[in-house]
């Protein structure tokens, strides 16, 4: 038998609020959640696996509407393979754009850090302060 999880356990495992889990159920991206005799949700491994996908996709910026689309397509994968590939390719391209922006911002932070480290050294050694022009990023 599958391991069973309470809403509290799933919330802790994914760092999601119980209300977010209920919302995912309400909008149809987390489905078929049984209840125990007192009406409490019982999450199974299939729900844990689905939540891993949801969290992964959400962390890449995928919207709830896109998640709904994906899971609808997934119900009949062979007949929606082109739709799935298009949706995932678009998401991959979105991620690549975000990565490029992050790389640019990372380089800027590195240069700022080098500049301020050089400034600290200059202050500590009572020498001339560095010139930002020597560290500035290209846009």
């Amino acid at each position: 038998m599958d391991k069973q999880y309470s809403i509290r356990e799933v919330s802790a495992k994914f760092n999601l609020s119980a209300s977010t889990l209920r919302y995912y159920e309400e909008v149809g991206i987390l489905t078929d959640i049984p209840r125990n005799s007192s009406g409490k949700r019982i999450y199974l491994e299939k729900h844990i696996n689905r939540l891993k996908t949801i969290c992964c996709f959400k962390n890449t910026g995928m919207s709830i509407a896109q998640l709904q689309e994906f899971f609808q397509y997934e119900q009949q994968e062979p007949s929606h393979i082109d739709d799935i590939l298009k949706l995932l390719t678009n998401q991959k391209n979105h991620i690549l754009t975000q990565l490029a922006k992050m790389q640019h911002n990372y380089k800027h932070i590195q240069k700022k850090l080098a500049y301020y480290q050089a400034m600290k050294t200059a202050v500590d050694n009572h020498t001339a302060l560095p010139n930002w022009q020597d560290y500035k990023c290209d846009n």
Side-chain angles (χ1 to χ4, degrees), residues 116-133:
Y116 286 111
Q117 286 172 334
M119 183 180 286
K120 170 140 177 57
T121 300
V123 168
D124 290 348
N125 295 329
H126 305 289
T127 58
L129 294 177
N131 183 344
W132 172 242
Q133 296 304 321

Side-chain angles (χ1 to χ4, degrees), residues 33-114:
I33 300 169
R35 303 254 198 302
N36 65 16
S37 58
S38 60
K40 294 185 178 185
R41 289 168 175 80
I42 301 169
Y43 294 90
L44 307 172
E45 283 303 317
K46 69 179 185 175
H47 302 114
I48 299 303
N49 292 332
R50 170 72 66 106
L51 277 165
K52 287 177 185 175
T53 299
I54 291 169
C55 290
C56 171
F57 287 1
K58 288 286 293 165
N59 287 337
T60 68
M62 193 177 277
S63 69
I64 293 294
Q66 290 169 311
L67 282 163
Q68 289 169 318
E69 259 185 278
F70 175 79
F71 290 122
Q72 274 184 327
Y73 296 151
E74 198 180 51
Q75 290 174 13
Q76 296 177 333
E77 289 170 332
S79 62
H80 288 286
I81 193 65
D82 290 333
D83 297 316
I84 291 170
L85 289 170
K86 181 180 178 187
L87 188 134
L88 292 178
T89 298
N90 288 342
Q91 196 61 26
K92 179 193 79 163
N93 292 337
H94 170 76
I95 293 167
L96 290 172
T97 300
Q98 294 304 311
L99 284 171
K101 288 178 184 176
M102 290 297 288
Q103 280 288 63
H104 175 78
N105 292 336
Y106 176 71
K107 286 178 186 176
H108 186 79
I109 292 289
Q110 284 181 303
K111 290 187 182 207
K112 283 283 192 185
L113 186 57

Side-chain angles (χ1 to χ4, degrees), residues 108 111-112 115 131-139:
H108 186 79
K111 290 187 182 207
K112 283 283 192 185
Y115 170 71
N131 183 344
W132 172 242
Q133 296 304 321
D134 297 335
Y135 294 86
K136 203 163 113 177
C137 290
D138 297 328
N139 286 335

